[in-house]
Amino acid sequence: MFPYPSGKLHMGHVRVYTIADTLARFHKMTGKHVIHPMAWDAFGLPAENAAIERNIPPAEWTYSNIAQMKKQLQMMLTDIDWDMEFATCDPEYYKWTQDLFIKLHQAGLVYQKEALVNWDPVDQTVLANEQVDKSGRSWRSGALVEKRQLKQWFIRITAYAEELLQDLNSLQGWPNRVLQMQRNWIGKSEGAEFDFPLLSPTPGTPSDSKLTVFTSRPDTLYGVSYLAVAANHALVTSGAILANHRPSVKAFMDRVAAKTDAYAEPSRDGAFTGLYALHPFTHQKVPIYIAEYVLGDYGTGVVMGVPGHDIRDWEFAHQQPELANQIQFVIDSPNAADGPVLTLGALNSNCGPYAGLSSKVAMQKITKDAQAQGVGRSKVQYKLRDWLVSRQRYWGAPVPMVHCSSCGTVPVPRSDLPVLLPPSSELSSRGGSPLKRDETWQQTTCPGCQGPARRDTDTMDTFVDSSWYFLRFLDAQNSQQAFAPDTARRAMPVDLYVGGIEHAILHLLYSRFITKFLWRENHFDTKAHPGSNLDRLRGEPFIQLLTQGMVDLADPRNPIVRRTGESASVNHEKMSKSKYNGVDPETVIGAYGADCTRLYILYKAPPQEVLEWDEQSIVGMQRWLARVSRLVQQNNHAHLPPKDYRIEPDSLIPAERDLYATAHQTIQQVTRDLAEGHSFNTAIAALIKLTNALTLYYPPMAPPSRPGNTASELPRSPFLLPAILDYLVRMLAPMAPCIAEEFWTSSHLTSVFHQLWPTFNPKAISNVEVETVIQINGKTKFKLSFPSTVLDQKSHFLELIKASPQFQKFLHDRQTKKPLTVVNEIVVKGGKLVNFILK
Ligand code: ANZ
Ligand code: ZN
């Protein structure tokens, strides 16, 4: 994930880009064609605010930050394809962001609407729902967000809700946690709508209006004791409320309006409207309330109150004296008196013809009957809202639309893109839109009638910029298209995407939506590369997602809860640009070198977990590299093996054969750790172990034997040390590139990065035994030893275990003597532990 150019890398950046760089270098060495690019998420408010503060143009601030951070990335020894670099604020880039907006508009996925929006009073701008946290604060400024009614641009992401949800199932390379967060955010809910005709206030006069409710529990229809509408429902605003109830309704509305925190969990406050509706099945009178807990923008904005089976309805009913003794249960439970019955069950005798049916069957039948009678229908509801993309600020891509008094709102023709930002002289902290104050910039001609027209003065949310940037890398210099459709179809999806869990919802959902949109609308060449992964994944942009944990500066006075990384007390801060607390990457790299810093970061914690910054342990990495260095120097006295020389394990003496086997086991493990698990810490541990084995066999002071050297007591093979050091240095290279290159070039003429990754030779370890711990239902029972080569054939390996007498003992229940079968087999750590689940 590309960074925001705040000016300085923080340790979180160093971590994510070390992980990405190590993997990029590793995959290159295995012979793959790797694209490892970098760009800058460069629009956005901080630049605008910094510009106002310092009185310099946002562009100047942004580009100087970019230069600074690029230098720091190079200092970290990253191997980035800089020829693909761009910033989202480059006109050559935002031209295509505007083009994307127009494509969405043409597809009917962009619209403008008055909306009650989130207004950040500090940054003076509108925020998307996703940018407001649970406590109702802006994700950026931290200010308490207000609600305001304004005309805004929306992108209809809800049109893709179902496929955004369904296709999560194909993302097997994503962390479950992220998949679950996306599912919850999309929030699919299946149920039904029911119509409740309004009972006319004056008896005898007919009423044709009705209130429609959405419910996820149609089976509870017979338990309805009231309806409740949202405070902004038309019923309330239309003046239908009976005169004698207006004072209490107004008092309630005033109480709601007085609330400063619009995002706090709503209370169970409410008021009776004096109005009634008719139950669609029983035709009984149902009172209508206004309730704070009913959301205006979910479902129909009306709830059928079933206090017997819904906790919020139960609480609400207990606040309203007329409702408290109207609670009707439709599913029986012994504890019904203490609270609502929150489960599915069998419908009781209150349910007329449906009595005795299970909830599940009743849901279907009641919905079907309602549909037949024209008073209801089945309904799927999503929590996902359309994406509010307009911002009333300067530093963003201008919305490429023109307002004409005769043609209405029309898109700017593609040939006129980009719509450039005007010079930034009008910026001020007064708020409001700077483009709105720039009269000359707004004046333009209408692409439809050529008459005078005005430009739209909103700029786009920066999440639009970042929703497609990965596609631009494939064709960063293309001035004719955002990306070449055939290249994109071949190269996409991104194989591995590394970034923070904080983007689990927003950025990843928008990117998925936009890529799917472009895919569905055929913006990838359909003829080129049939059967591509992009098609297989239905336009998903990222095959594998690695979410790296935070870097934390643990205050040594605070105990840390190991498992979660949470501090036991509160003094524990994330090292982010906003709460940056003092470990400066440049200082660390200056003190220990980039190689050691990288190794330390990779070694200290698995990438997904919190990394507790503890500078003292960097020296461990320094010492290790010093030991490798000593071996390299010692080896430099030895002769190079002749070209095409191969070590034959069988010709080695036992001690050397063991050492050679250790080297190949290390290759096997490190390769697996990097390729599959992204388990850098175990890979480094294996390399350290190999270094230890080498140091034991080739202790300092005793130079290795040269051919014909009789001084040595052991009959050493002359080319073993160089061969093993070759492996070691090649495996070290992706993680510690600079020192590995130095080691390598001390005895070779080429770069280590032109070498192939060492390949594991099964023959080398054919007579090495490895031990496997066997668990039954999670409890350790016994150990078995195997030739290590068996570990590479999973099914054979499992068969061997299952055939062992030790295992056979567990195949029946001790008490009941009944036979048990294996229902699951979990192989952990490349076969070091296997857990069998027996049932
Ligand atoms: C009756 C009922 C009985 C309900 C019961 C639940 C349990 P999900 O699953 O999240 O979609 N609801 C509907 N619209 C609402 C709104 N605008 N504001 C607040 N609540 C609303 O939730 C659906 C349920 O949330 C609906 O099903 C409705 O309460 C409530 F035993 O209807 B239920
Ligand atoms: Zn016109």
Side-chain angles (χ1 to χ4, degrees), residues 645-692:
Y645 174 82
R646 287 182 67 89
I647 287 180
E648 283 307 326
D650 291 343
S651 67
L652 298 171
I653 59 163
E656 295 193 324
R657 208 182 300 150
D658 282 354
L659 187 60
Y660 190 65
T662 305
H664 275 272
Q665 277 174 310
T666 309
I667 295 173
Q668 188 186 28
Q669 188 190 333
V670 173
T671 309
R672 197 186 286 146
D673 283 348
L674 295 189
E676 293 163 25
H678 306 140
S679 181
F680 307 102
N681 54 334
T682 51
I684 293 174
L687 293 177
I688 294 176
K689 228 171 103 189
L690 177 61
T691 311
N692 293 346

Side-chain angles (χ1 to χ4, degrees), residues 29 81-82 99 129 160 167 173 212 256 282-283 311 382 389 477 493-494 565 607 765 800 808:
M29 289 179 76
D81 300 319
W82 287 110
D99 184 56
N129 284 345
Y160 280 63
D167 293 350
T212 300
V256 173
T282 66
H283 307 293
I311 186 80
Y382 300 91
V389 293
Q477 319 301 342
V494 173
I765 61 168
L800 284 178
Q808 294 289 322

Side-chain angles (χ1 to χ4, degrees), residues 189 214-216 220 293 295 298 303-304 309-310 312 383:
S189 169
F214 169 71
T215 176
S216 53
T220 64
Y293 77 95
L295 309 170
Y298 185 65
V303 164
M304 62 179 218
H309 301 283
D310 183 291
R312 290 167 304 176
K383 296 230 158 51

Side-chain angles (χ1 to χ4, degrees), residues 695-722:
T695 309
L696 267 180
Y697 199 66
Y698 300 101
M701 306 315 292
S705 68
R706 294 159 217 178
N709 183 352
T710 48
S712 174
E713 302 137 44
L714 287 164
R716 294 165 197 268
S717 307
F719 303 129
L720 190 62
L721 179 61

Side-chain angles (χ1 to χ4, degrees), residues 517-535:
F517 161 74
L518 292 170
W519 177 77
R520 203 154 93 169
E521 301 271 318
N522 281 325
H523 292 291
F524 297 99
D525 189 341
T526 44
K527 286 185 290 297
H529 320 291
S532 69
N533 276 334
L534 188 67
D535 295 340

